[in-house]
Amino acid sequence: MSSTEAPKVKESGRFLNAIETLGNKVPNPTIMFVYLIAFIALLSAVLSWIGVSVTDEVITPVPIEQLEQLNNALGGTIMPYDTSTGAFVDLPEFTTSEQTFAVRSLLSPDGIEFFFSSFVDNFAGFGVVAVTLVAMAGVGVAEHAGLMGALIRKIVKVAPRWSLAFILIFVGVLSSVASDAGYLILIPLAAAAFLSVGRHPLAGMAAAFAGVGAIFSVNVLITPVDSMLTEITNEALGSLGLQPLTVTANLFFAIVSSVLMALIAVVVTVRIVEPRLGSYTMVEPVDATTGEAVDEKGEARGLRFSLWGLLVVVVIVLALTLPPGAPLRDNETGELIGATPFMASLIFIISLGFLVCGACYGIGANTMRGGNAVVGAIGKTFGSLGGLLLMFLMISQFIALFNWTHLPTVAAVEAAHLLEQANVPAVVLLVAFVLVIFVLDMILPGVVPKWAIFAPIFVPIFAALDVAPQTLLAAYRVGDSPMNVLTPLMVYLPFIVTIAQRYKKDAGIGTIIALMVPYTVWILVGWIVLYAGWFLLGIPWGPDSPVSL
């Protein structure tokens, strides 16, 4: 037995070493965007010198509201009419015209002028920054107060044995609203929880890791990641004349995906991982704590206080949304969902909820008292975002410069013509896109940097094929997450190996990879099937988010 398994282990080790070596050669994301800017500068110079251009029909929205305001200001005397017939007509919502787009060189005098003169404006207009800071302010307070860890410990403690795997995995999915709580708190607790009911602790660890990592890009809640992905998508939409997405553009799909992928992970745990591991015999006592002394009475009191805080926030939000004419309803239609003040306020409302609940928990658990402590927690959270903000600075320049060159437009028009001639169904192209993202995640983990690279290129290409940007964003979510639990570049992988070694002294990266491969394979397959079926049935991805344009 050992002689037949040894070559496989060596082969697996060589493969993992090769992946790790390749991945380590990928530069820091911030530096990578500097290289990409240099690359598009050279590429735009070459293509501009050659004289590359495309001609395409452009749809331009008619500024009806502004024209109506101008008309009212002039006394309502302006009436649009058809110059060919002389008859009065209604203003159309869009006009279509044929335009030629030539590649513009970033190394030309105009390109150099644009680079220097727009640098500050590019970053100031990059909506991802403000959204991230607002979202993380509330989450940071909740996390620093200890609320996130307390919720995870409470859920694990009260979970019935028969539902333990699902609850651990689903809590892992929910934990993506916080940065580290899922990895640092849930995974060790999951191993201990499985051990406490006589199940193999490595199975509990693997199940929680699958929930936290392999299903990371979706949630039943609106998360900071949703905000970042949405804003990057809207940056890519800027030159297409399309309506910007809301943060709920993939909400329906995300909720269904969260539940179904968690169920698939449960089946993998029970049918594949646990039978493979067998029974667990504890040779010596295991320290299954997370290294923190927990005041159970204070934690319980803090949770009660946070519940009261949540109820107060809910009552205020209901008062601002439910009554007719409420401030967060649309002034004209009275709608609550769509392009309404409520939807525009969603990120702030969620962040406010986390902030209030975190502050209330801190008071009850005596972990955070007074306004200075709350401000300090937000300051620490913002301080930890320094690297992310620097990356956003370079991403904002990359997107603005890339769009200025007309390279995305040229690539989109040419690629769309080729794909139309190939007559490949859109669902096939979308599945291929999922697989490309899945493979790239092995050497380029990180949900935001990859989308910042791909959105300006692929959003216009698929839009030319009548595929809505929210459809492509949903495909990106499917491809991004499953590989997270396999890549050696996962920053928490050494920590997870350490957890495994508490229960299996000789555990290493190969142990973790072997445990997680079934989750990656079955979650990817199940998710692609769900995505393709959703697309073919034409189910909206979220409120006012159809499959096609």
Side-chain angles (χ1 to χ4, degrees):
M1 184 75 174
S2 60
S3 62
T4 58
E5 289 184 353
K8 294 182 180 179
V9 174
K10 290 180 180 179
E11 200 65 38
S12 171
R14 281 197 294 269
F15 172 72
L16 291 173
N17 288 338
I19 293 296
E20 188 169 7
T21 300
L22 179 62
N24 288 337
K25 291 182 179 179
V26 176
N28 178 282
T30 301
I31 301 299
M32 181 178 64
F33 280 102
V34 174
Y35 293 159
L36 286 173
I37 290 172
F39 173 74
I40 63 172
L42 293 174
L43 181 62
S44 65
V46 172
L47 295 182
S48 176
W49 178 70
I50 296 174
V52 174
S53 65
V54 294
T55 301
D56 195 37
E57 287 189 348
V58 176
I59 298 175
T60 305
V62 175
I64 295 178
E65 292 185 7
Q66 290 88 334
L67 292 174
E68 288 179 349
Q69 292 173 2
L70 176 61
N71 189 26
N72 293 334
L74 296 175
T77 58
I78 300 177
M79 295 292 293
Y81 68 96
D82 188 330
T83 56
S84 61
T85 63
F88 292 109
V89 295
D90 294 327
L91 284 174
E93 294 185 359
F94 299 93
T95 60
T96 303
S97 61
E98 194 174 79
Q99 294 184 22
T100 297
F101 299 92
V103 175
R104 297 191 288 189
S105 171
L106 276 176
L107 300 181
S108 66
D110 288 344
I112 295 172
E113 177 188 341
F114 179 78
F115 176 82
F116 280 91
S117 63
S118 68
F119 196 93
V120 174
D121 292 339
N122 293 340
F123 189 52
F126 195 51
V128 184
V129 178
V131 167
T132 301
L133 293 177
V134 171
M136 290 306 296
V139 172
V141 171
E143 197 165 3
H144 281 83
L147 174 60
M148 309 305 291
L151 286 173
I152 290 174
R153 283 189 290 269
K154 184 69 172 178
I155 292 171
V156 170
K157 185 176 180 180
V158 303
R161 188 184 190 283
W162 61 269
S163 63
L164 184 60
F166 176 78
I167 289 176
L168 289 171
I169 293 167
F170 196 67
V171 171
V173 175
L174 296 178
S175 72
S176 64
V177 299
S179 56
D180 302 322
Y183 291 102
L184 299 180
I185 299 175
L186 179 63
I187 291 176
L189 284 177
F194 262 54
L195 180 62
S196 68
V197 296
R199 299 170 72 173
H200 203 297
L202 293 188
M205 179 199 71
F209 189 22
V212 175
I215 320 174
F216 174 79
S217 61
V218 293
N219 205 311
V220 300
L221 306 172
I222 302 299
T223 70
V225 168
D226 293 320
S227 307
M228 291 184 243
L229 294 179
T230 300
E231 290 301 323
I232 289 174
T233 307
N234 289 339
E235 291 288 334
L237 288 174
S239 60
L240 299 179
L242 298 177
Q243 290 292 327
L245 303 187
T246 65
V247 74
T248 58
N250 287 158
L251 182 60
F252 299 160
F253 181 69
I255 292 173
V256 174
S257 295
S258 299
V259 176
L260 291 185
M261 295 310 109
L263 289 173
I264 289 176
V266 170
V267 173
V268 171
T269 302
V270 175
R271 297 293 185 184
I272 299 177
V273 174
E274 288 191 283
R276 175 180 173 272
L277 290 171
S279 59
Y280 179 74
T281 303
M282 187 168 57
V283 179
E284 57 186 61
V286 176
D287 178 15
T289 67
T290 59
E292 298 179 357
V294 178
D295 177 5
E296 294 187 0
K297 291 184 179 179
E299 187 172 277
R301 185 170 57 252
L303 289 173
R304 286 197 302 271
F305 278 39
S306 67
L307 178 60
W308 285 112
L310 176 62
L311 291 176
V312 170
V313 173
V314 169
V315 168
I316 292 174
V317 172
L318 291 177
L320 295 174
T321 54
L322 290 186
L328 296 185
R329 287 184 173 273
D330 186 271
N331 292 331
E332 297 181 359
T333 65
E335 294 291 332
L336 192 61
I337 304 299
T340 65
F342 173 69
M343 297 302 292
S345 308
L346 204 52
I347 289 297
F348 172 70
I349 291 171
I350 293 171
S351 182
L352 180 64
F354 275 108
L355 190 150
V356 171
C357 291
C360 290
Y361 176 87
I363 294 171
N366 201 28
T367 58
M368 181 184 293
R369 285 189 174 276
N372 289 338
V374 172
V375 173
I378 297 175
K380 289 179 181 177
T381 301
F382 285 0
S384 68
L385 298 176
L388 182 64
L389 294 177
L390 180 59
M391 183 179 71
F392 283 164
L393 173 63
M394 300 317 302
I395 289 175
S396 66
Q397 306 308 319
F398 168 75
I399 292 176
L401 296 173
F402 194 39
N403 287 334
W404 185 87
T405 63
H406 289 158
L407 284 172
T409 304
V410 171
V413 172
E414 292 296 336
H417 289 165
L418 290 174
L419 293 175
E420 287 173 350
Q421 293 172 2
N423 199 27
V424 178
V427 67
V428 175
L429 298 174
L430 288 166
V431 170
F433 177 78
V434 169
L435 295 176
V436 168
I437 298 300
F438 171 77
V439 172
L440 285 177
D441 197 53
M442 176 67 85
I443 60 173
L444 189 61
V447 61
V448 173
K450 280 199 306 297
W451 187 235
I453 295 172
F454 283 100
I457 300 171
F458 286 97
V459 167
I461 290 175
F462 279 90
L465 298 175
D466 201 33
V467 175
Q470 58 265 22
T471 301
L472 186 65
L473 179 56
Y476 177 76
R477 294 177 188 272
V478 174
D480 174 73
S481 292
M483 185 63 80
N484 287 342
V485 296
L486 290 185
T487 173
L489 304 180
M490 160 62 69
V491 293
Y492 292 105
L493 188 58
F495 172 75
I496 294 167
V497 170
T498 302
I499 299 300
Q501 288 172 345
R502 295 177 182 175
Y503 306 96
K504 189 175 185 293
K505 296 298 183 183
D506 61 345
I509 291 180
T511 306
I512 306 302
I513 299 298
L515 284 172
M516 303 313 299
V517 164
Y519 291 103
T520 295
V521 171
W522 286 106
I523 287 175
L524 178 66
V525 171
W527 218 341
I528 288 176
V529 171
L530 172 65
Y531 177 85
W534 196 291
F535 176 82
L536 293 173
L537 292 174
I539 304 172
W541 303 106
D544 293 327
S545 296
V547 167
S548 302
L549 291 174

